[in-house]
Amino acid sequence: MLTFAAASLVLIMIPGPDQALITRSALAGGRRAGLLTMVGGVLGLVVHVGAAVLGISAVLIASATAFTALKVVGAVYLVWMGVATLRGARRTLREDPGEEAPATDAATGRYVRYGFLSNALNPKVALFFVTFLPQFLPATGNVLPRAMALSLVFAALYLLWFSLYVVTVDRLGRVLRRPRVRARIEQVTGVLLIGFAVRLALQAP
């Protein structure tokens, strides 16, 4: 379990689409927006856990057509988010310095959706639960309880790491939300999201 937890934490900490989207949300809407995007990411993980348990992920990985379809949809989504972030950077430069816009009730669903779609449409997450997770399951007996326990550990580590990350971004908010600084971060984030999309599109089944 400790080996799995350590390996999972390393994987979670590696910069990727989740971190880029959570950064984007935390800068745009503050701590609550960043946490909502994180919650959406966890919900996306739940989809893959359920699919792995039901065997759907294995079918997805085995089918080149299904894998490619999900990969293309995920890549298009990341490009769309990247372009939106780059456009947001231009708007940020025209804003007056001040506190972030609050994550209103109307925006809540949008922030959750950002994180959910980022994970739910990422075949690499499915690949993780089909290839990495089974290495820590017993060779015989009922593996379902163990698989669910490991999935919960992964989700808990995801929540812990990104909660700390959002708090850090929020604490540095006074500096990070200065129009020029925030615009630069948004520009980098937008380019990274597009880069992640390209890497995802080139991912082999």
Side-chain angles (χ1 to χ4, degrees):
M1 183 68 77
L2 289 177
T3 302
F4 173 80
S8 297
L9 186 58
V10 170
L11 289 172
I12 292 168
M13 292 172 64
I14 294 174
D18 285 6
Q19 182 173 322
L21 289 174
I22 289 172
T23 301
R24 178 185 188 274
S25 296
L27 290 176
R31 182 181 302 188
R32 180 168 177 252
L35 293 175
L36 287 171
T37 303
M38 177 192 69
V39 169
V42 172
L43 294 177
L45 293 177
V46 171
V47 170
H48 287 290
V49 171
V53 170
L54 295 174
I56 297 174
S57 290
V59 174
L60 173 66
I61 300 303
S63 170
T65 301
F67 184 91
T68 300
L70 183 60
K71 181 176 66 174
V72 169
V73 173
V76 169
Y77 172 72
L78 289 177
V79 168
W80 177 70
M81 291 298 301
V83 171
T85 303
L86 291 173
R87 289 177 176 173
R90 291 201 298 268
R91 290 194 298 270
T92 297
L93 289 174
R94 298 194 293 268
E95 292 178 356
D96 294 327
E99 293 298 317
E100 74 280 359
T104 63
D105 291 339
T108 295
R110 182 171 72 250
Y111 287 121
V112 173
R113 186 168 64 251
Y114 289 161
F116 174 77
L117 292 177
S118 173
N119 270 337
L121 297 177
N122 191 343
K124 294 180 69 176
V125 180
L127 192 63
F128 165 82
F129 284 104
V130 172
T131 60
F132 179 74
L133 188 64
Q135 299 178 43
F136 298 88
L137 298 177
T140 60
N142 186 6
V143 301
L144 181 57
R146 177 76 171 181
M148 296 304 297
L150 293 176
S151 299
L152 287 174
V153 169
F154 188 89
L157 291 172
Y158 183 98
L159 288 170
L160 175 62
W161 169 252
F162 281 114
S163 292
L164 293 174
Y165 181 79
V166 170
V167 169
T168 300
V169 172
D170 189 61
R171 289 284 179 86
L172 298 174
R174 186 176 296 276
V175 173
L176 297 180
R177 292 189 185 95
R178 292 174 181 171
R180 283 190 170 275
V181 176
R182 178 180 162 186
R184 181 65 63 183
I185 293 174
E186 288 176 332
Q187 289 169 349
V188 173
T189 300
V191 171
L192 285 175
L193 286 171
I194 295 173
F196 291 137
V198 172
R199 188 174 67 178
L200 177 60
L202 297 176
Q203 178 76 26

